[in-house]
Amino acid sequence: TCRKFDRDTRDTASRAVSPFSPTQLVKMCNAASLLETKWSTRVLAVVQDAMGKLIPSMTAEVCEMVHPCTVLAVMNDALKRQYLERCAATGAGIVASRFEADSAAPDINAHAAAREAQRRRDKRIRNVYTTEFCIRKESFSFFSSLPQEVRAHLGKLKEGAEQLPVEESGGLAGQVAEILSQLGVSYRMGVNCGPFQLHIVAEGTNPLGEKTRVYECNETSAYYATEHAAVEEPALTAETKLRQRLLQRMGVKVTVIDAWQWRGMSEAQRINHLVKLHSFQ
């Protein structure tokens, strides 16, 4: 009840300075950024003004909702600084120990509610970890100018990235892994690498080549929909391009398998395709 009162109070206060709540503004900016919307100067100024007024009322949950594409496309340096200071103040992104054992019998309903809340958080928490990586790797001078407490918070995120919860692999990664198994190739799925989770890390089969090969399995969700999908190669989404750019910054060489190509292959063609990819090391 107290938490609901606090949330209602924050929402009322935020509406006094903006027609949007922090959650509404974040969702709107995320949608526009992920679609690579070209903001007009006037509209962007209005959005940035609203964001500057609402960031002080953001909770850790809302801070974690902010997609890194929004940070890069919408926020200027002043807003980035303000947002990162808010993340540090609320502890956004910090993963506490999960469901610690208790000598008392657990409340089943409370336990189920806690697990559901954690599941929802797991889906968005990588946002703030990816933002930390972007700021540190691509804007180091800006990173160095941040207050000590903010850099300390970002340092905790960097250290904790390898312990992020494993996400469920997509269907394409599962199909590729199944064929690798048929070929006798050892592999791992869901390996954390910085703020990202690698789809498949397979052991190399050529003694003179790479020790491992990383397969990036681009599901259909990695592309924008196109009216002529059957004849045109679809374009990668902003989120996918950011992921692949940052993996490259980490020195991770990926072999991309595209869903739009994969779907057009027979089972035999898929096997031959993977044999060629994996042997070419």
Side-chain angles (χ1 to χ4, degrees):
T1 303
C2 291
R3 288 183 179 179
K4 184 178 186 301
F5 175 78
D6 289 343
R7 185 171 62 250
D8 291 345
T9 301
R10 282 192 297 267
D11 288 346
T12 301
S14 67
R15 284 186 171 84
V17 297
S18 171
F20 305 107
S21 70
T23 301
Q24 289 172 336
L25 182 63
V26 167
K27 287 183 176 180
M28 180 184 72
C29 290
N30 282 351
S33 300
L34 291 171
L35 290 173
E36 300 183 82
T37 300
K38 303 300 182 185
W39 301 88
S40 70
T41 303
R42 183 176 180 181
V43 171
L44 181 59
V46 171
V47 170
Q48 289 177 336
D49 180 67
M51 188 168 287
K53 293 175 180 177
L54 294 180
I55 285 176
S57 60
M58 285 185 178
T59 62
E61 178 182 2
V62 177
C63 286
E64 292 168 358
M65 288 174 58
V66 179
H67 198 279
C69 286
T70 294
V71 176
L72 297 176
V74 177
M75 295 185 184
N76 54 30
D77 283 355
L79 287 175
K80 289 176 185 174
R81 185 181 302 274
Q82 188 182 7
Y83 166 68
L84 293 172
E85 289 175 351
R86 187 60 185 168
C87 286
T90 59
I94 301 300
V95 181
S97 58
R98 300 177 170 217
F99 316 116
E100 296 178 351
D102 193 335
S103 56
D107 182 292
I108 295 178
N109 291 333
H111 186 68
R115 283 193 174 276
E116 176 60 22
Q118 188 62 55
R119 185 191 66 80
R120 290 196 301 269
R121 189 187 185 206
D122 288 349
K123 295 178 67 174
R124 65 174 185 271
I125 197 171
R126 285 182 187 266
N127 285 337
V128 70
Y129 283 82
T130 306
T131 296
E132 180 278 328
F133 185 85
C134 285
I135 298 297
R136 178 166 46 85
K137 282 289 187 180
E138 300 193 324
S139 307
F140 188 74
S141 59
F142 173 77
F143 174 86
S144 301
S145 71
L146 293 170
Q148 174 61 34
E149 62 272 17
V150 177
R151 284 186 281 121
H153 177 74
L154 296 179
K156 291 179 182 178
L157 296 182
K158 178 186 176 183
E159 293 173 2
E162 298 295 331
Q163 282 73 50
L164 285 172
V166 175
E167 301 171 343
E168 184 177 352
S169 298
L172 177 58
Q175 293 173 20
V176 172
E178 184 178 351
I179 292 178
L180 289 174
S181 294
Q182 295 174 19
L183 297 174
V185 177
S186 299
Y187 64 87
R188 290 177 297 157
M189 300 179 70
V191 177
N192 279 330
C193 180
F196 301 110
Q197 182 174 298
L198 302 179
H199 298 157
I200 300 175
V201 180
E203 292 185 6
T205 54
N206 184 347
L208 301 178
E210 302 168 345
K211 292 183 178 180
T212 59
R213 171 153 293 202
V214 178
Y215 288 101
E216 180 81 352
C217 302
N218 286 342
E219 302 279 354
T220 52
S221 59
Y223 305 94
Y224 292 116
T226 176
E227 185 179 355
H228 305 290
V231 295
E232 292 181 359
E233 179 179 343
L236 292 171
T237 63
E239 183 174 28
T240 305
K241 287 187 287 188
L242 176 64
R243 170 187 167 88
Q244 294 184 359
R245 187 180 86 224
L246 294 180
L247 284 175
Q248 186 178 25
R249 290 294 300 267
M250 283 189 279
V252 179
K253 181 181 177 181
V254 299
T255 298
V256 177
I257 298 177
D258 296 306
W260 63 273
Q261 280 186 326
W262 188 261
R263 288 185 302 177
M265 297 179 184
S266 66
E267 185 68 16
Q269 288 173 327
R270 291 175 178 179
I271 293 174
N272 289 334
H273 183 59
L274 275 182
V275 168
K276 291 178 182 178
L277 286 179
H278 204 69
S279 61
F280 184 67
Q281 300 183 75

